[in-house]
Amino acid sequence: MATQSESDDFLSEGSSSAQEAEEPEIEARVGWRYTLSQVKRDATAMAGLFVVGLMTLMATFSFVDAELFAFLAQFETFASVGVEKYWFAKHFWVSPIAEPQGSIQLLPPVGMENQFGAGTWAHPLGTDDRGRDILVRLVYGSRIAIEVGYISTAIGLVGGVLVGAIAGYYGGWTDDVLMRAAETLYAIPFLVLVLAFMAAFGRSLMFAMIGVGVASIPTFARLIRSRVVSVREEDYVEAAEAAGVRDRNIILRHVIPNSFAPVLVQGTLQVGYSILIVAGLSFLGFGVQPPTPSWGQMLSTSKDYMLQNVWFSIWPGLAILITVVGFNVFGDGLRDALDPRLKN
Amino acid sequence: MSEPLLEVEDLRTQFFTEDGVVRAVDGISFTVNEGEIVGLVGESGAGKSVAASSIMRLVEQPGEIVGGEIRFKGETIFGLEDVERDGDGPPEKVPRDDMLSNAEVRERIRGREIAIIFQDPMESLNPVFTVGGQLREFIEINRDLPENEARDLAVHMLREVGIPEAEERYDDYPHQFSGGMRQRVLIAMALACEPSLIIADEPTTALDVTVEGQILDLVDDLQGKYDTSFIWVTHDMGVVAEICDRVNVMYLGEIVEQADVDSLFHDTQHPYTKALLNSIPRPDQSVGELNPIAGVMPEAINPPSGCRFHTRCPEAREVCTRTHPGCREVGDGDGPHRAACLKHEGVFNAGYVESESIENKTTGGFDVGLTEEGEADD
């Protein structure tokens, strides 16, 4: 009997979805909307997307409050109405950089206790070695991580796609020269390459980003080249050639868009990887300088206070972990959504 | 008679492969006049498509046009000249001064003057862009129109080739079109730039017969309207009869017969053409059984000596294995009719009549290779 009702359920479900399929609205099986609808069916990918979205939002907010307001404060019109760096944090929260008078150092989170005292709601995640609120520093530290992840990935993606597409489309000696150069870069360990880059140009965050970006060019170049080699043989590329379309437009409009899906996936994964690398650099003392908050540097400072307040280490570590995992599962979900063989 | 639109003379295109030089097109000559549909017929591998892409200078590595001349409207698309080098070596072939550069061919010839319709409508449209967008791009490039005018023209062309609700379908993607409709879009693309010549490379091969019929009618109508010349590459004699004015029959890189469509069908002069015609059902003749051409076409790397068709020819004689016939005027009717067969003794005078007939063991059918070996053992 139970089987009967189950099969009834199954049937009714089947027929209702069949009715949905008969809706006059034709659902395109290409394009952003379709890919997104595929991602939506995947719970882990959605969780990844949520993390990605949240982190991006947080980073945008702290970018506006830190960088944009600091920039605007240079102008009299804005400075006269009180715009300053960390304006929002100072007025509605606590400053992420100032060392507050009389605040207790190394406080644990709410509900915990250690030799310095009990956690309070004033500092939900506790305080660091200088008595600064950990939560606000985490939020403002997201800016560095996300900025670095996006910008360095953008550098690697644009550079890699151009190099790989040109190499794959023209073939011959162009291919040999470009890909051998890329593989030479590939042969050097990632971190060593970035450190060498920073040693040569400077220890600032900008060169960390550029270094990570340049170091990831070969990954993208190799990835897209393998697709371009097959796409360039497609009839529509030949048709475009026969219609007198310039090589540049053929590569940009016909070859790259049709080879882009794996690059998009790799790009998403690469953001997570770049965040990890730059956090590692910050830990080693390269990159953003104190007092500007960044996760890697928080982690680095906290290692000396682990016995007093272990939460000081756990929070930035967790932030890095969640962000990187978020980008990774989103990338995996995107790969599944873009792979036609996995569709059912 | 006025100057022909396109003149191809002694065109040779070869592919330099590891196994040797493939002589895909080996000295073909033909002309296309204004407003004419010229057929290029032959089995798979005869070199039809290579000939077609040679005209556009679209042959890709490892292929290369190594000889001959292509003239279009008085301009030289391809032409070589001999340059004597110091020393004893043979003269070197270099492009002539009046030959158009790559950029000139791309900007002035491709799309604008000569368009090409490819074989597979499923693959010839870019899947990531809308049909209308692609059509518009081609028009913008080749007609120098601003975007909105190009768009209007694109919609107009879609309507012209019989796409219903062209305005709405403009924003559809290629996968939302059927094969026949995509082929119509490709025809619209070719016609939209108002070229003088369209090379149709087996455009209806991938379609079923009903759609093929519709497309042929459409091309016939549009050809009358726009007065475009066509080179129609096909292996289908039925299509040839339906649409072409004149026909070139190709075998292994060579043209073996050249005639207007009526005399080709009713006054066939070459055994290969005859064999092709015998291997398809004809509504005007009832036959008990179709008679396919025995064997397969030999490799173009090592073409047979003498007449290239002698290995499969039912009328082959001993002389055919030695003497290679060029394509010569053989017709007695009106209009030129050229064929490359030694059996026209009056023209070739190679001693065909006295020569001994050779027994082609290939007359049996498809199992040729096997029986041949078996008999050799006996």
Side-chain angles (χ1 to χ4, degrees):
Chain A
M1 209 49 208
T3 339
Q4 179 64 42
S5 74
E6 260 172 39
S7 73
D8 275 348
D9 277 2
F10 175 72
L11 276 179
S12 65
E13 252 181 48
S15 64
S16 74
S17 69
Q19 271 169 6
E20 272 168 25
E22 276 165 21
E23 297 260 290
E25 182 82 22
I26 300 163
E27 195 195 347
R29 291 278 166 112
V30 289
W32 287 108
R33 220 173 296 164
Y34 178 66
T35 307
L36 206 64
S37 78
Q38 290 294 114
V39 173
K40 272 185 196 157
R41 287 165 47 174
D42 183 349
T44 14
M46 277 313 281
L49 183 61
F50 176 75
V51 171
V52 168
L54 186 74
M55 291 298 164
T56 309
L57 211 67
M58 245 161 66
T60 314
F61 161 73
S62 48
F63 173 80
V64 169
D65 201 24
E67 296 290 298
L68 189 65
F69 282 3
F71 173 74
L72 291 179
Q74 297 169 9
F75 303 101
E76 192 57 37
T77 21
F78 292 104
S80 59
V81 292
V83 172
E84 55 177 332
K85 195 172 183 180
Y86 299 124
W87 175 81
F88 189 88
K90 279 175 186 164
H91 283 75
F92 299 98
W93 205 356
V94 288
S95 166
I97 52 167
E99 293 161 30
Q101 299 279 314
S103 115
I104 308 159
Q105 294 163 358
L106 297 169
L107 266 185
V110 177
M112 305 271 179
E113 227 174 299
N114 63 6
Q115 71 258 46
F116 303 104
T120 62
W121 278 108
H123 305 293
L125 301 185
T127 56
D128 68 3
D129 58 320
R130 293 168 188 227
R132 294 173 297 197
D133 185 62
I134 288 181
L135 180 61
V136 77
R137 282 181 67 79
L138 274 187
V139 169
Y140 280 80
S142 70
R143 181 192 115 225
I144 305 293
I146 298 296
E147 200 177 283
V148 160
Y150 282 170
I151 293 178
S152 64
T153 303
I155 293 170
L157 192 143
V158 171
V161 162
L162 287 179
V163 168
I166 289 169
Y169 181 73
Y170 287 106
W173 66 266
T174 321
D175 189 19
D176 287 339
V177 170
L178 287 175
M179 292 322 287
R180 290 307 88 76
E183 273 155 21
T184 310
L185 216 55
Y186 207 60
I188 306 168
F190 204 93
L191 200 60
V192 174
L193 194 65
V194 178
L195 285 175
F197 192 86
M198 290 178 79
F201 294 99
R203 283 173 55 166
S204 74
L205 183 70
M206 187 177 79
F207 289 116
M209 288 192 296
I210 298 175
V212 173
V214 169
S216 64
I217 283 180
T219 320
F220 289 106
R222 283 158 51 106
L223 195 65
I224 197 162
R225 182 191 164 274
S226 66
R227 288 275 300 151
V228 167
V229 167
S230 73
V231 167
R232 72 157 179 214
E233 300 298 331
E234 296 283 344
D235 281 354
Y236 51 82
V237 174
E238 208 180 326
E241 277 167 15
V245 182
R246 285 162 182 283
D247 283 1
R248 192 189 61 198
N249 286 348
I250 290 177
I251 292 175
L252 289 180
R253 288 183 50 82
H254 295 276
V255 173
I256 290 180
N258 281 294
S259 321
F260 204 67
V263 173
L264 196 67
V265 173
Q266 179 63 34
T268 318
L269 300 173
Q270 183 70 39
V271 172
Y273 194 49
S274 300
I275 291 174
L276 209 55
I277 289 285
V278 175
L281 288 173
S282 287
F283 187 85
L284 295 174
F286 297 90
V288 64
Q289 298 306 313
T292 310
S294 87
W295 294 344
Q297 175 222 318
M298 282 167 81
L299 209 52
S300 170
T301 320
S302 71
K303 69 181 188 295
D304 299 334
Y305 304 98
M306 265 208 198
L307 290 178
Q308 289 95 325
N309 181 10
V310 72
W311 292 99
F312 184 18
S313 297
I314 289 177
W315 294 123
L318 214 55
I320 294 172
L321 178 80
I322 290 173
T323 312
V324 173
V325 169
F327 274 100
N328 273 308
V329 295
F330 178 59
D332 280 339
L334 207 57
R335 168 167 31 218
D336 294 347
L338 288 170
D339 189 344
R341 276 167 305 183
L342 292 176
K343 278 169 196 166
N344 36 20
Chain B
M1 212 172 98
S2 66
E3 176 103 325
L5 185 72
L6 175 82
E7 276 180 278
V8 176
E9 224 180 278
D10 198 29
L11 178 71
R12 289 167 196 277
T13 305
Q14 301 180 344
F15 288 84
F16 299 90
T17 67
E18 281 178 14
D19 298 330
V21 178
V22 181
R23 297 151 89 171
V25 174
D26 206 17
I28 62 166
S29 308
F30 65 95
T31 57
V32 180
N33 295 320
E34 242 161 80
E36 200 179 32
I37 301 186
V38 174
L40 210 53
V41 200
E43 284 170 278
S44 300
K48 304 167 305 222
S49 296
V50 177
S53 42
S54 297
I55 295 170
M56 303 275 276
R57 290 234 316 251
L58 277 174
V59 183
E60 279 178 9
Q61 286 294 334
E64 198 186 326
I65 309 175
V66 294
E69 203 176 317
I70 304 166
R71 279 188 307 276
F72 177 79
K73 279 189 172 173
E75 290 190 288
T76 310
I77 292 184
F78 187 83
L80 298 174
E81 63 184 349
D82 291 344
V83 169
E84 294 287 350
R85 291 285 153 131
D86 300 334
D88 302 323
E92 207 172 312
K93 288 200 180 293
V94 295
R96 282 208 317 251
D97 288 343
D98 57 344
M99 184 171 118
L100 297 175
S101 72
N102 282 336
E104 281 174 321
V105 168
R106 188 181 63 217
E107 277 161 30
R108 295 222 315 265
I109 302 295
R110 290 184 198 155
R112 283 182 194 235
E113 287 290 354
I114 308 180
I116 190 159
I117 306 174
F118 283 101
Q119 180 164 5
D120 194 343
M122 301 302 185
E123 306 287 331
S124 297
L125 290 167
N126 189 336
V128 302
F129 293 113
T130 60
V131 166
Q134 293 181 58
L135 186 51
R136 201 198 68 222
E137 185 195 5
F138 278 36
I139 294 172
E140 273 179 56
I141 289 170
N142 290 315
R143 300 275 302 266
D144 302 318
L145 289 174
E147 194 179 320
N148 58 337
E149 276 176 53
R151 192 201 146 94
D152 291 345
L153 184 62
V155 173
H156 170 77
M157 287 313 300
L158 286 178
R159 215 172 274 137
E160 194 85 342
V161 294
I163 305 273
E165 298 170 8
E167 194 81 40
E168 284 86 59
R169 301 308 298 263
Y170 182 91
D171 290 318
D172 281 355
Y173 286 89
H175 68 275
Q176 290 165 306
F177 278 59
S178 72
M181 293 217 313
R182 284 190 226 184
Q183 195 54 270
R184 285 167 193 264
V185 173
L186 293 181
I187 292 170
M189 265 183 193
L191 280 171
C193 308
E194 297 190 356
S196 326
L197 175 67
I198 293 178
I199 300 171
D201 188 357
E202 307 209 30
T204 56
T205 306
L207 305 174
D208 70 67
V209 220
T210 345
V211 183
E212 180 174 44
Q214 293 169 8
I215 298 282
L216 291 180
D217 285 347
L218 174 74
V219 168
D220 221 21
D221 283 353
L222 295 173
Q223 199 260 343
K225 196 164 163 185
Y226 290 91
D227 203 31
T228 315
S229 303
F230 275 86
I231 295 177
W232 201 276
V233 179
T234 180
H235 60 250
D236 188 341
M237 279 299 196
V239 173
V240 171
E242 172 100 18
I243 200 165
C244 293
D245 299 314
R246 286 191 302 123
V247 191
N248 301 292
V249 181
M250 279 187 80
Y251 184 78
L252 216 57
E254 293 181 325
I255 289 180
V256 293
E257 187 164 3
Q258 208 165 35
D260 64 83
V261 71
D262 280 340
S263 47
L264 188 89
F265 276 81
H266 298 295
D267 184 21
T268 316
Q269 297 292 351
H270 197 283
Y272 177 61
T273 318
K274 203 176 278 172
L276 271 185
L277 290 172
N278 283 337
S279 58
I280 54 161
R282 291 177 69 167
D284 58 336
Q285 286 167 15
S286 66
V287 283
E289 204 178 316
L290 286 175
N291 196 2
I293 310 177
V296 286
M297 187 147 44
E299 297 271 341
I301 293 183
N302 272 320
S305 62
C307 172
R308 292 186 178 177
F309 189 51
H310 83 254
T311 52
R312 302 163 74 192
C313 180
E315 297 175 56
R317 298 199 176 177
E318 199 269 327
V319 65
C320 300
T321 63
R322 288 184 281 115
T323 314
H324 180 256
C327 202
R328 294 192 208 173
E329 181 62 52
V330 295
D332 42 4
D334 25 55
H337 191 144
R338 295 153 70 89
C341 183
L342 297 176
K343 74 173 179 174
H344 302 285
E345 183 75 3
V347 179
F348 287 92
N349 216 357
Y352 178 85
V353 182
E354 308 92 71
S355 181
E356 225 173 289
S357 169
I358 50 168
E359 191 69 35
N360 263 325
K361 300 195 174 92
T362 53
T363 39
F366 293 107
D367 49 347
V368 188
L370 296 171
T371 54
E372 216 167 22
E373 233 165 65
E375 278 166 18
D377 283 351
D378 283 343

